């Protein structure tokens, strides 16, 4: 099956590149709101499900035990840019759990935020595991392990109790039974489990509403959503899509990207979950699709529309700042979004 | 028209992402050797045609006038990583032409080679236009302008004599008549002209052989090929596809990538030109296709095969160095490559 082209990359008046992909929007009862392309073949959600992975931190009692505040919980859901305040916050959390950064098993890379990487080099320091974009999630796994009373060493292994619980949460929220063949290793060394796109959208509809997930999990989801809405900068960083979008919409949209062109979102006001995969793995395409879907689904005022416009049709500039092209949703994507009907507000609990 | 999937990205045992695209291999008389996908719609070749753009530098007399050696000519064909030796070489060339880096109109960015960027920051210095990956091409344009006796200021504009000559060379070598609507602005601010993939492959077959391009141009192409074969590291840099591949094959393969998933190549022994475009703009896909085509076309010994294998099926590793997946040519690409017949050696002049 060939997925439709969702986003075109223009240069001058010519289309230079094209992103194919699939999109699912589902409500918490599993009813399809929007389905475009193949939403049934399992895909690796990668970092787009950090919100679901962080449920384990809250449900285990780790968040309470170590007094994690909104910033710390937002960082548990984050792929951060390694800016100084991200790193400082991640470091403080370890103190609370009586651990230090040597417990992290995510590997090391320099901050993706270039100015922060260069400043770190200028200071004479070097990157550590705390600069890894997944360090917040990993410190959450460590807190969960401590709260569960299990060994912290080896917490990235698929058979470790924390990762088994992550898989159980993923199966519980998506409703998918995940066979072993759909397990692979993520960039930060934890397992990543392939799940169909419509099942991921269902999980985020439940995450958005607390429905069909039990009282305890619903409360954990609500707490994480509130933390991220209060501190969205900690979820990615300066100038990045998810932080910018949640910085504007607050509790109206929880969105998170993952490597290889994945984006997931929860729209609590509508009770919807959204899941997007670009076939080719390019995040720029998935971001445009998410912006286009949100532009159609949310009830917008003029300020909202003005904010969203450059995310739906981002301008591309060259090294001298000259506008050279743009990303544009295709007519096919616009047609399918255009068929969406406004929905009465969903009452979250 | 839907282009075929050429490369799959696997994670564990599952396909995570897919790259569609098109490939043309053509001989200097325009006969098709291989054609897969849409090779007729114009695409922006971007930096993949720096070898053709550099013909203007040699034909104008600029290369002789300023005594440009192999390193300087290789850098004129380069998208370099901004490593210290790239930058030092680019700087020396300006001295020869009586110019300095302030004449560059390419814009500034930090070196793409991370260790070089971090070392530059540690030294207390900052990036300049000399670190721009296109600085070598731009200093070539400046030398050409001086040799042509025209103003250097504004040399990036489409109406400047240097860029008009670049367009004439592109039309001459590709045989394509390029209407104004197919002009856009490149990342480094010069014009980029969209040309069909099969016409690009034809241009590189001519660049490979000197056929159908006149004595002077043929000599210029031969000089550039020899310079790049002698100093391939200057064309991109440490660990990068084109430098590594030409470092191994020397004069047997001239290859150069461009932004948005383009790769072009000249195979002088066979008299072939190769042009590849990944629909989605990802260079990793185009590199695998180039490696797969070369693996099939060139006459290889065991050392060649051993060298090529990890380029045809690159291993993907995570931040801890664990193997997590790979890039793999699809059966469709392998089938089409498999139909290629070995060819008698083409005698270059």
């Amino acid at each position: 099956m060939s997925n439709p082209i969702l986003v075109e990359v223009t240069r001058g008046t010519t289309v230079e590149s094209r992103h194919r992909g699939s999109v699912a929007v589902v409500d918490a009862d599993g009813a399809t709101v929007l389905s475009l392309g193949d939403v049934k073949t399992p895909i690796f959600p990668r970092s787009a499900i950090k919100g679901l992975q962080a449920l384990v931190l809250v449900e285990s009692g780790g968040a309470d035990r170590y007094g994690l505040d909104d910033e710390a919980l937002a960082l548990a859901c984050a792929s951060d840019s390694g800016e100084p305040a991200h790193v400082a916050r991640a470091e403080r959390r370890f103190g609370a759990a009586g651990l230090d950064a040597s417990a992290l098993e995510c590997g090391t890379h320099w901050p993706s935020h270039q100015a922060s990487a260069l400043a770190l080099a200028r200071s004479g320091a070097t990157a550590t595991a705390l600069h890894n974009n997944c360090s917040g999630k990993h410190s959450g796994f460590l807190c969960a392990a401590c709260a569960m009373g299990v060994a912290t060493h080896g917490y990235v292994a698929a058979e470790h109790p924390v990762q088994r619980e992550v898989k159980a949460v993923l199966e519980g929220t998506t409703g998918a039974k995940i066979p072993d063949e759909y397990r692979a290793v993520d960039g930060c060394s934890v397992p990543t489990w392939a799940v169909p796109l419509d099942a991921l959208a269902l999980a985020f509809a439940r995450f958005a509403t607390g429905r069909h997930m039990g009282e305890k999990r619903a409360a954990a989801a609500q707490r994480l959503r509130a933390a991220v809405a209060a501190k969205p900068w900690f979820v990615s960083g300066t100038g990045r899509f998810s932080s910018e979008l949640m910085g504007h919409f607050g509790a109206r949209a929880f969105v998170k990207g993952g490597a290889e062109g994945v984006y997931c979102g929860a729209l609590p006001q509508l009770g919807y979950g959204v899941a997007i995969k670009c076939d080719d793995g390019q995040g720029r395409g998935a971001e445009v699709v998410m912006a286009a879907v949100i532009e159609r689904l949310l009830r917008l005022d003029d300020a909202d529309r003005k904010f969203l416009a450059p995310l739906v049709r981002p301008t591309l500039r060259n090294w001298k700042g000259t506008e050279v092209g743009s990303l544009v949703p295709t007519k096919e994507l616009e047609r399918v979004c255009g068929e969406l009907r406004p929905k009465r507000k969903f009452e979250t609990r």
Side-chain angles (χ1 to χ4, degrees), chain A:
Chain A
M1 171 173 176
S2 175
N3 283 327
I5 300 170
L6 303 180
V7 176
E8 290 178 336
V9 183
T10 68
R11 182 166 294 262
T13 56
T14 303
V15 175
E16 178 165 32
S17 299
R18 293 161 177 83
H19 298 299
R20 291 174 182 270
S22 38
V23 194
V25 183
V26 174
D27 74 15
D29 295 324
T32 297
V33 177
L34 181 158
S35 177
L36 187 55
D38 175 7
V39 300
K40 295 294 182 190
T41 300
I43 62 114
F44 291 115
R46 309 291 301 273
S47 289
I49 55 160
K50 280 179 175 170
L52 304 180
Q53 290 170 315
L55 288 170
V56 173
L57 168 63
V58 180
E59 291 178 36
S60 69
D64 286 333
R65 180 162 169 174
Y66 301 112
L68 301 187
D69 61 9
D70 286 346
E71 290 182 5
L73 290 175
L75 214 50
C77 302
S79 299
D80 72 76
S81 305
E83 296 174 68
H86 291 128
V87 179
R89 193 64 193 76
E91 203 157 19
R92 279 213 305 283
R93 181 151 72 177
F94 281 104
L99 295 164
D100 65 47
S102 68
L104 288 171
E105 299 179 11
C106 50
T108 294
H109 64 73
W110 285 77
S112 65
H113 185 250
Q114 191 186 51
S116 298
L118 296 171
L120 189 66
R122 271 190 212 103
S123 77
T126 191
T128 70
L130 284 172
H131 298 92
N132 188 305
N133 74 88
C134 297
S135 61
K137 177 178 75 173
H138 279 249
S139 63
F141 287 151
L142 284 163
C143 289
C146 291
M148 290 161 74
V150 299
T152 54
H153 182 72
Y155 70 90
V156 297
E159 58 275 15
H160 187 279
V162 167
Q163 301 306 331
R164 285 163 61 181
E165 188 57 24
V166 167
K167 188 191 179 196
V169 166
L170 190 57
E171 290 189 326
T173 52
T174 60
K177 179 89 189 89
I178 309 170
D180 269 355
E181 66 187 281
Y182 287 140
R183 186 182 84 205
V185 179
D186 212 325
C188 66
S189 295
V190 300
T192 181
W193 304 93
V195 179
L197 212 58
D198 61 354
L200 284 170
L202 174 62
F204 277 91
R206 291 171 172 179
F207 187 83
T209 60
R211 295 190 64 199
H212 303 301
M213 63 193 326
E215 288 292 333
K216 186 178 175 184
R217 184 159 295 168
Q222 200 279 332
R223 184 168 171 185
L224 290 169
R225 292 200 327 268
V228 165
K231 299 289 178 182
W233 181 82
F234 283 86
V235 173
S236 50
T238 305
R240 288 178 62 195
F241 182 87
S242 55
S243 286
E244 294 289 317
L245 192 130
M246 296 191 291
H248 178 86
F249 285 109
R252 298 163 69 192
F254 174 106
V255 296
K256 180 70 186 71
E260 293 293 330
V262 183
Y263 239 96
C264 289
L267 302 175
Q269 286 183 321
L270 304 170
Y272 291 165
V274 183
I276 298 158
K277 165 78 182 177
C278 262
D279 292 2
D280 53 65
Q282 288 236 52
R284 66 180 183 184
E287 289 176 357
V288 166
V289 177
M290 181 61 87
V293 168
I294 284 177
E295 185 182 47
R296 183 66 195 181
L297 284 174
L298 289 188
R299 202 174 294 256
L300 305 178
D301 64 19
D302 287 348
D304 296 334
R305 265 183 280 271
K306 191 174 170 189
F307 167 80
L308 270 177
L311 300 183
V312 176
R313 285 178 169 71
T315 298
L316 300 175
R317 296 182 184 278
N318 72 8
W319 294 116
K320 278 174 80 180
T322 306
E323 183 173 335
V324 293
S326 61
L327 299 172
V328 187
T330 56
K331 289 199 194 313
E332 171 72 355
L333 177 59
E334 285 190 330
R335 183 188 62 74
V336 174
C337 286
E339 287 171 3
L340 294 172
R341 289 281 161 266
K343 181 181 177 287
R344 65 163 177 72
K345 185 173 167 178
F346 178 86
E347 294 301 325
T348 53
R349 45 181 186 172

